[in-house]
Amino acid sequence: MFDNVRKYAVAYLVAFGGVLLTCLSSWNVRQELQSNHLKEFEWAADDRIQAVRVAVDQALDALYEVREIHRASLAIKEPDFRVLTDTLLKRRSYIHSLLWASWAPVANKAERTAALPVRLSASRAGADYAVGVDLLASKDLAALFERAAQTGQVAISGRREFLLPGKPALQVIYAALPVQSPDTGKMPAERAVIGFLVGVYLIEDLVHSAISVLEPRGVDVRVSDVTDGETQFLHHYSSRLGRGNLPTKDEDTPQKAVTVEVGDRLWDVRCVARDRKSVV
């Protein structure tokens, strides 16, 4: 028996070495494939994060475009407002409404010193904000306008529900851009805020318009508001290859998260591969 072992020892060693080399080769191929999938995921995730950032910037640019009318004509006039807002609503499907609201005195100053009625309103869904509606009637929105007035910069709300009679609630965010008086004798920081341009944006449409046209597929995106250390879910974009919620966190699942500045708030844009082979 031992003579046979000695006789075939070289053959056994060659066979064992062949199996070992095959295993090592398969492992190297697997590692190379995983490395390539990771690179593809990083590229896809960067594309989606940048797309969300660009979409948000374009959404806020709509308010700045309308404000330029005020600076050019020293007033926001209804004909000019209508022409520009109609164009913006056609170009950007995620804009629900654009409003112009300015300060007004109140009869009962024991409750508050001023009101902020809507003066001009444009919406793709019709006149959902009637002229004269006081935006300060909501405490949450009152805080939004207070921040914008104090800083002189655009302020953004958290997720809010926009209710329409007989229809499902829409998930939206509000943006308030202060408009200052045209007093050329004062520095911009010293000019009084006379009103606000307000944008109401559909969160789902905003995220979908940014991501839906991108390739490759197989990457889920979750967007959350993480301002002041608190997390508020905004929207989950499910890959066309996937269904349901964001995949369960796994150390082996490629993930990437970036914090994006949105006005005076912070959004967490988190990308997760639906599975390690789904970025195709």
Side-chain angles (χ1 to χ4, degrees), residues 53 174 177 217 246 273 275:
R53 182 182 282 114
Y174 285 74
L177 179 67
R217 299 168 291 174
L246 208 63
D275 61 59

Side-chain angles (χ1 to χ4, degrees), residues 2 13 27 41 86 98 104 145 156 165 186 196-197 205 211 220 236 257 269:
F2 291 105
L13 288 173
W27 184 84
F41 167 76
D86 285 348
L98 293 170
F145 294 116
I156 311 295
K186 294 182 179 180
F196 300 87
L197 288 163
D205 289 7
I211 299 176
D220 280 14
H236 168 242
V269 183

